[in-house]
């Protein structure tokens, strides 16, 4: 293991005060020789994509401790774009992204953490955390909170938040009753998690995976699925290994990785907001990315997965089809396969082991949407 940043806090006679303070939060002699891992959590009680993140954080910390690290959790902010629309609150959405990146930088740099796990969901939080990872350039892993399950209304079992606009129009045109609309309102968001369509939240979660910053399949595992807690625990173990291997965030988020992420964005018909977010993350990585890159890659990338609001399928369907590894398997001829991921595996290995389990959801290149 290379020299740990945390040793600046704990080594030497002159650090006696710092060690004393750390003993106050529960550290013992053996802990001073372990990697210090920041567990950055965006938990709060008003955003459905974030209310369950305390439990995910607990799983992460178990993994960190099992692997021989010391986990220290702290929080940053999160706002819900779905609640902010149509009033003054929307002015605070994009600025929150940069506040998130700044707040993480302050705590991680001030306390000299050796690595960090970033626990996030929803529109501006995922890119804000990726910006922080690129800016700080220490070993980092993202654990996304996962989508919510789709709702069910009468004989329609894949209702998402984006469908509510259609139902509102149906009421205004007399095709649906107000009572039906009230029932839809009650049924559309049945669980915790990010909204179940390919909006900005799930787009950015998918692109975090496509960049190589999550363990494989993390982005489409749903918030209520036990696999989410298993992959959180495994991510906790893996971050300690990344610190030992001294694999930094910018070694994962390379120019080639960004090109892969743009291809995935185009292939799943992801949110337009991803353009500004990927450019911002790339800037923090000292990589030049502009609109021409998106234009060029889009002209050579077919649309192969039709997710709501652009198609009939939800994130549950995409997860059942094999998730982002399956999407990238179809895109294999067009990807940079030798990029490294936080799993320690090259993308080539992940893609080779992926399977497309539903070709109605993820179509082959020969039959795109």
């Amino acid at each position: 293991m290379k020299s740990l940043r945390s040793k600046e806090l704990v080594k030497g006679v002159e650090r006696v005060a710092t060690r004393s303070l750390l003993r106050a939060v529960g550290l013992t002699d053996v802990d001073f020789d372990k990697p210090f891992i920041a567990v950055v959590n965006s938990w709060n009680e008003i955003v459905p994509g974030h209310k369950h993140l305390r439990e995910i954080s607990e799983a992460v910390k178990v993994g960190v401790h099992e692997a021989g690290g010391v986990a220290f959790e702290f929080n940053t902010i999160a706002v819900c774009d779905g609640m902010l629309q149509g009033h003054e609150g929307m002015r605070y959405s994009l600025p929150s992204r940069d506040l998130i990146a700044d707040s993480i930088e302050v705590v991680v740099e001030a306390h000299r953490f050796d690595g960090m796990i970033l626990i996030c969901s929803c529109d501006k939080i995922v890119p804000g955390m990726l910006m922080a990872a690129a800016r700080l350039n220490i070993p980092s892993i993202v654990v996304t909170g996962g989508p919510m399950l789709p709702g069910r209304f009468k004989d329609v079992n894949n209702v998402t938040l984006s469908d509510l606009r259609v139902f509102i129009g149906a009421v205004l045109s007399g095709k649906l009753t107000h009572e039906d609309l009230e029932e839809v309102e009650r049924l559309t968001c049945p669980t915790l998690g990010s909204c179940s369509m390919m909006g900005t939240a799930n787009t950015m979660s998918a692109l975090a995976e496509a960049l190589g910053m999550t363990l494989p399949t993390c982005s489409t595992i749903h918030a209520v699925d036990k696999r989410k807690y298993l992959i959180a625990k495994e991510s906790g173990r893996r971050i300690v290994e990344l610190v030992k291997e001294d694999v930094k965030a910018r070694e994962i988020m390379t120019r080639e990785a960004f090109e892969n992420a743009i291809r995935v964005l185009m292939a799943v018909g992801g949110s337009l907001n991803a353009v500004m977010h990927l450019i911002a993350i790339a800037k923090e990585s000292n990589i030049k990315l502009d609109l021409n890159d998106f234009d060029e890659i889009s002209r050579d990338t077919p649309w192969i997965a039709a997710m709501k609001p652009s198609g009939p399928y939800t994130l549950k369907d995409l997860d059942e089809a094999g998730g982002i590894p399956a999407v990238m398997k179809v895109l294999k001829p067009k990807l940079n396969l030798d990029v490294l991921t936080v799993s320690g595996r090259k993308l080539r290995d992940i893609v080779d082991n992926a399977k497309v389990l539903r070709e109605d959801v993820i179509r082959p290149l020969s039959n795109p949407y």
Side-chain angles (χ1 to χ4, degrees), residues 10-143:
V10 299
K11 287 297 182 184
V13 174
E14 69 278 10
R15 299 304 179 198
V16 62
T18 308
R19 291 194 297 274
S20 184
L21 289 165
L22 288 168
R23 292 182 193 280
V25 297
L27 268 64
T28 62
D29 290 346
V30 295
D31 295 322
F32 295 136
D33 290 322
K34 298 176 181 179
F36 285 11
I37 306 299
V39 178
V40 187
N41 196 350
S42 50
W43 168 86
N44 64 43
E45 292 188 324
I46 194 169
V47 183
H50 293 252
K51 192 177 180 184
H52 63 301
L53 297 187
R54 270 184 171 173
E55 289 76 20
I56 290 177
S57 173
E58 291 303 313
V60 163
K61 288 187 284 187
V62 168
V64 170
H65 293 309
E66 286 181 350
V70 183
F72 298 89
E73 182 178 2
F74 69 88
N75 270 79
T76 187
I77 60 170
V79 298
C80 176
D81 275 33
M83 296 185 200
L84 305 189
Q85 295 178 26
H87 58 83
E88 185 73 13
M90 200 62 198
R91 297 177 183 272
Y92 292 88
S93 176
L94 187 56
S96 75
R97 183 194 70 179
D98 296 64
L99 285 172
I100 289 163
D102 292 347
S103 67
I104 296 169
E105 177 190 0
V106 167
V107 178
V108 170
E109 287 291 76
H111 292 277
R112 313 310 294 153
F113 283 105
D114 301 304
M116 61 182 178
I117 289 199
L118 304 156
I119 306 172
C120 49
S121 292
C122 301
D123 294 23
K124 304 305 183 290
I125 301 88
V126 177
M129 290 197 174
L130 286 168
M131 288 168 65
R135 183 186 302 174
L136 293 167
N137 196 29
I138 63 174
S140 306
I141 292 182
V142 173
V143 177

Side-chain angles (χ1 to χ4, degrees), residues 187-208:
L187 299 175
T188 297
C189 298
T191 71
L192 296 175
S194 51
C195 298
S196 52
M197 72 283 191
M198 190 59 82
T200 306
N202 288 317
T203 296
M204 292 311 302
S205 294
L207 297 188

Side-chain angles (χ1 to χ4, degrees), residues 97 195 232 255 324 330 345 355:
R97 183 194 70 179
C195 298
R255 168 75 191 197
I324 297 305
V330 176
R345 300 156 63 192
K355 294 180 180 179

